[in-house]
Amino acid sequence: MTAPIRVLVCDDQALIRTGFATIIDAQPDLEVVGECGDGRAAVDLSGRLHPDVVVMDVRMPVLDGIKATRLLAGAGVAQPVKVLVVTTFNLDEYVYEALRAGASGFLLKDAPPAQLLHGIRTVATGAALLAPEVTRQLVGRYAARIRPAEGTPDDVGLTPRELEVLRLIANGLSNGEIAATLVISQETVKTYVSRILTKLDLRDRVQAVVYAYRAGLVT
């Protein structure tokens, strides 16, 4: 049998933390390996417990969730941990900053239990938990803040078709929508997405979206 997904729950509100842990532990394919109430403890426990996914609150004492996420999953981390951010406010700037810090996705705290479980499983596979329409809103709202270019279309190392796919990803299109737009199969789109992530050394679609905007590939 496949080993269960190991989850660390980090939230400064004990009631929410306990609720999350109870929901997660009730699943045969998930296992809560630890709980904590601040970002510093999350970083320390992750180093000892090696969870597959950290469910991370944003606003916490000692060390907030954004800084903790950067230490766990940010650029240069030797063994990054997958982080699923939970927040009270939809699309607030803290969520955006957490995604830039390395989080693989986010959920609202009032999401149904099924969404929390789906989010953990999705992030654990290496996929990003951002619906296309959420990507459009999130990046559209903060595009001006991440516009400073880190590259240009000529020097990012992608083929013209890969650049086209990256731009469509950054505009919030799903694989199916990209396939329809370019008149290619969804399997071909998946291949292009995989190549883009590999070439740019990105972990998931969230990072690809941020990269595209910072490189000035999307207007």
Side-chain angles (χ1 to χ4, degrees):
M1 294 184 60
T2 304
I5 298 169
R6 296 164 53 82
V7 182
L8 173 64
V9 178
C10 183
D11 194 294
D12 65 333
Q13 297 182 53
L15 187 60
I16 290 178
R17 191 167 66 241
T18 300
F20 282 174
T22 300
I23 293 168
I24 295 166
D25 258 340
Q27 304 301 305
D29 61 330
L30 304 177
E31 175 189 8
V32 174
V33 295
E35 300 177 36
C36 57
D38 66 76
R40 172 53 60 189
V43 174
D44 293 342
L45 281 176
S46 291
R48 299 203 308 268
L49 301 175
H50 305 292
D52 298 307
V53 176
V54 177
V55 176
M56 182 80 75
D57 188 17
V58 175
R59 298 173 180 174
M60 294 183 293
V62 185
L63 188 70
D64 65 49
I66 296 170
K67 294 176 182 176
T69 296
R70 188 171 294 114
L71 292 174
L72 290 171
V77 175
Q79 295 181 313
V81 180
K82 297 177 179 66
V83 178
L84 175 61
V85 170
V86 291
T87 179
T88 304
F89 302 102
N90 190 15
L91 303 180
D92 72 354
E93 68 176 291
Y94 292 102
V95 176
Y96 168 72
E97 294 297 343
L99 294 174
R100 280 195 65 190
S104 292
F106 75 92
L107 285 174
L108 297 179
K109 283 188 178 179
D110 61 359
Q115 286 190 21
L116 172 66
L117 300 173
H118 171 71
I120 293 170
R121 293 178 179 120
T122 298
V123 169
T125 66
L129 189 72
L130 273 184
E133 61 273 15
V134 174
T135 302
R136 294 187 188 102
Q137 295 176 52
L138 180 65
V139 179
R141 179 170 176 177
Y142 295 105
R145 300 182 58 187
I146 56 177
R147 191 56 52 78
E150 293 184 343
T152 67
D154 296 326
D155 63 17
V156 295
L158 301 180
T159 66
R161 180 61 109 182
E162 289 165 350
L163 281 169
E164 193 172 13
V165 172
L166 178 56
R167 289 188 177 100
L168 293 175
I169 293 172
N171 279 313
L173 273 68
S174 66
N175 284 355
E177 291 169 332
I178 293 173
T181 300
L182 300 180
V183 195
I184 57 179
S185 71
Q186 289 197 49
E187 287 303 316
T188 300
V189 174
K190 290 179 182 178
T191 298
Y192 279 125
V193 173
S194 178
R195 288 177 185 170
I196 290 167
L197 298 181
T198 299
K199 285 186 176 183
L200 299 180
D201 193 25
L202 303 173
R203 189 181 59 237
D204 52 41
R205 293 172 80 101
V206 175
Q207 291 191 350
V209 170
V210 174
Y211 180 94
Y213 274 86
R214 296 191 70 187
L217 299 174
V218 183
T219 58

